[in-house]
Every structure is written in structure tokens, then in C-alpha cells.
Amino acid sequence: MSYVKQVDHNPDPDFTQPVEFLAIGIFQDKGLQESHHPVDLALGGLMSKVWERKDFQGKKGERLLLHYDGPLARVALIGLGQSDKFTSELARQAAGRAVGLAQKHRADGCTLLTFESDQPQSGFTQAITEGLILGSYRFTEYKKPADDEPELTSLILYGQAHQEELSRGIVLATAVCRTRDLQNHPANIMTPTRLAEEAQRIGEASNMKTTVMDRDGFTELGMGALAGVAAGSNQPPKFIVIEYSGGQAGDAPFALVGKGLTFDAGGISIKPSAKMDEMKFDMSGAATVLGIMEVVAQLQPRLNIVAAIPSTENLLGGSAQRPGDIVRAYNGKTIEILNTDAEGRLILADALAYVVDQHKPFAIIDFATLTGAVLITLGHRASGLLGNDDDLIAEVQRAAEKTGERVWQLPLWDEYSDDIKSKVADIKNIGDGRLAGTIAGAVFLKEFIGDTPWVHLDIAGTAWQGKDQPYAPGGGSGVAVRLIAQLLLDRVER
Ligand code: BES
Ligand code: MN
Ligand code: ZN
């Protein structure tokens, strides 16, 4: 098991009974609170002593493990920082850090005493639940832990908790963990075929239907841009569509589109070999879409959704497309390919145009590890957000506030579109040299959207992390699954 799929709840714990690993959050400005006293008592006053001696000060990110010869064998103190600055994201992080510490000390369970916050802001139970499950995630598929190493199998939340938030937190975090799995599998396993199988599995839920087109199918439909990228790969490419009908029949759907490049070598415009292995994460947009659909399958929100995933590899060889080639996309626009490594926008072009034409959505959000430039701009800490509709942009920003997944808007002024004009075709697939790379990618996509309200999330920096994070080990992060699931749920619940 690479993550714990359940969080149990005990509203009224008895601290005279054995608890293997108990984690307690402490605010810097509050110290020991009411709910901590029974624990302090069970520890013979150890907690208050540690606090008085300032061995633990409750600073954000601070952790201290206490050992005690009694039923509470190990108690982890987790710093929560200043109580007036506490947010649900900090709650999520603290819960993640608690689980991380339990795992580091080979505990097979982690029990967390819920935080006694002054701001009973709704969403805390959900955030804590998510932090616990997400923090337990490890990718152990190909390297099982040694036999004598106990695995973390239980997560328990002690104290007052909001039941509905707890169950929702489980659904969301589990979907994120599944997305991380899809991301972390190497490209020889997570092929377009495998992504299509995952989509078929999700599509078995009620109100869902998955359709998968192969090379001949989408080529006949006119998807010349996807076909061009796929030309150099022997892995059968797929164009995957999942339709969810939770709303009224005939109501326009919300559309989700994800870049499913299972490996991006750059094509004939080959990438440098250093860190090229990271390009197995180039299907993260697709993984995000599948994670969101996983949540949708379980929570069955009352709206219609269509999800589209163009999936292929970008390799090189005798049949690969060349720089200078011109292809025709689904909407008839011709594209001059000046760099075969700018392939994400090509496969998305066909997917976006197809979804707009076939499904007439009222809004589209696409997810793509589209540009290295977004890493230069925002690092691993925020996704690039671009779009043509202020309301939809604001809606994504509001959801991001709630889920703690940072987004940052970049402009899409008309002038930028001049940068993708081609001398020989309608447009070219790169912008003005290395300038404004993330915007160049987005203005290219805009050519395939028409007037539909649309947001593009460039997740090249956030989809995977180089280092361990408070509630995610390095590797696939599952970014934007909670974000967009939250947005969709808020839409039907308001
Ligand atoms: N998949 C890459 C973007 C990427 C780079 C993701 C680094 C994660 C980390 C994308 O297909 C790509 O190669 N983009 C090029 C575009 C350029 C050729 C216009 C890039 O950003 O260098
Ligand atoms: Mn590329
Ligand atoms: Zn790519």
C-alpha cells in the first residue's frame, strides 16, 4: 500500500489507553491548550515541562518527538505558528508533517489530536484529513520496503471533527494519491494505452462513459497536430474522452482537457539528456484530469462534464515529424512546426478544438506541463494561470485559496499573438525566441478555443516536486485535482 486510504475518527479519546504514535499541534502564541491537558497528564507533565524550558516553541514547521515510558510511548509535538495566521493550508501541512514523522520513526499508525483553533473556519477537518492521507503517500511500486520495516496502515483523528468534511477529505486525497501514482510510473509502464485503461476504469462509474480513439480514428477526424506528434512513436497513441452526465440532459458541459505526453524526448529537436527522465511527468495534465474525474465519479455532482486527453509520446526516429513540417489541426488551422519540442500545444490544439466543436462546453480548463519557462517564472511553488474570461479566472483563484494550491496569473494581451504568426502557415508553434515562453504557449492554445470561457493552467513547475514537501514526497504531486474538484463542487453547492 503506498498510502493510507482511510482516516478513522475518535471524538472522545482515552489517553490512559496505549497509542503508538500521537501527534499534537501547538500554537506558538498559545502553548498548551485545554485539549492538551489530558495528554500532558498521561505524560506526567512532560509536555508542560518541555514548553516551559522552551525546548519546543510551536514555530511553524517545528517538530519534537517525546518518548515516554507509558501508554503514550511516543508523542510528536508539531509547531503550528501564530494562531491568528493559521489557515486550512497550514493545518494540511501540519497534519502532513505529523504523518511524515510517524513514518520516519517506523510507526505503523499515526494518531493526530485535532487542532484547537480560535478560528473555527470551515474546512479544517477536510484539510487535516487530506494532510494525513497525502502525507502518508509513498511510491513503493517497484521497490518494496524491507520486510522488517513496518508500513503505516492507520490514520486516526482524535477530537471534534466535521463528519462530512472528513469523508470528503478522504475522497479528495485518495484521488490525488491515484494521480500521483499515474505520474510516478515510468513511461514504459504508463503508456497512452495504460492511461486509456485508467479512463475506461473510471468510466465504469454511474453517469460516466469513456470513448477511446486510436491513431486511425483521430487522424480521420482531422487531428493532424496530434497525429504529427505521434508519428515518431511506436506506442499506440490515444485520444480519450470521458463524458459525465450528472446534470440535465442537453445542458452544456464543463470541459477539462489534459496534456497526456507519456514521454517527451523533444522529438527531432531533441532535449539535452540531463534530467530527461523527468519528462515521464509530461502526462501530468492527463493524470490531473483523471484524478478530478475520479472525484466526480464518487461524489456525482449535479452538472455535466466532458474530459478529453490527447496522449502520445514525443520521440524521434525515421517517422518522426521534422522542424519545418506543416500540419492541419482539427479546426482547419495550419501550423508550422519550428520546434518539435513544443509538442504539448500541438496535441492540445486538436483536443481543445474537438471539445469546443463536439461538446459546446460553457467553460474549459486545460492542464499541461507546457513550458520550462513557467519554472523559470514561478519555480515549483505556483502554477501559471492564463485565460480569456475574468469570471472563470477569479473562480479558479478562489478555489485555489481554499485548497492551498497556488496559481499566479500571467497576461494574454492580444499583442502576444503576433509572436506566433508564421510566414508559411496560419501560425507557428513557438513564440519570439525565448521571450515570454509561457504566454506564447497560451496564446497558441487560444487559437483553438474560440469564444468559450477558458483557463489554462501551466503546471510544468507544480506537477512534480524535486524535494519532499510537507504533505508530499518528491515526485508527482497530483496538483490541481483538489483545486478543480473544489471548484466544481462549489459550483453545484452554492
Ligand atoms: N514538456 C515540456 C515542458 C517542460 C519543461 C515541463 C521542463 C517540465 C519541465 C514541453 O513540451 C517543452 O518541451 N516545452 C518547450 C517549448 C519550447 C520549445 C518553445 C520548453 O519549454 O522549452
Ligand atoms: Mn516538449
Ligand atoms: Zn512536453
Side-chain angles (χ1 to χ4, degrees), residues 259 261 263-266 269 271 275 278-279 281-283 314 338-345 368-375 380 429-431 433-434 437-438 440-441 458-464:
K259 172 178 172 182
L261 243 296
F263 190 74
D264 180 13
S269 315
K271 286 185 181 296
K275 297 195 180 176
E278 289 172 354
M279 285 304 123
F281 293 124
D282 216 17
M283 37 59 72
N314 185 26
L338 287 180
N339 190 322
T340 63
D341 197 11
E343 85 299 335
R345 62 199 73 184
T369 46
L370 205 67
T371 66
V374 82
L375 266 156
H380 283 295
N429 76 331
I430 54 169
R434 300 182 59 197
T438 303
D458 193 332
I459 57 171
T462 48
W464 53 277

Side-chain angles (χ1 to χ4, degrees), residues 20 57-58 64 108 123 131 172 204 236 241 246 266 277-278 307 325 382 384 408 437 443:
E20 202 209 337
Q57 300 179 3
L64 180 72
D108 61 19
L172 288 168
E204 281 163 19
V241 180
D277 58 293
E278 289 172 354
D325 282 3
W408 196 254
V443 293

Side-chain angles (χ1 to χ4, degrees), residues 178 182 195-205 210 290 294:
R178 282 175 172 277
L182 298 180
L195 279 178
E197 284 164 10
E198 291 293 327
Q200 301 275 22
R201 183 185 55 72
I202 295 168
E204 281 163 19
T210 299
L290 291 175
E294 197 96 56

Side-chain angles (χ1 to χ4, degrees), residues 441-464:
V443 293
F444 182 93
L445 299 180
K446 195 173 160 213
E447 299 287 325
F448 301 89
I449 301 287
D451 299 327
T452 313
W454 157 72
V455 157
H456 161 61
L457 286 174
D458 193 332
I459 57 171
T462 48
W464 53 277

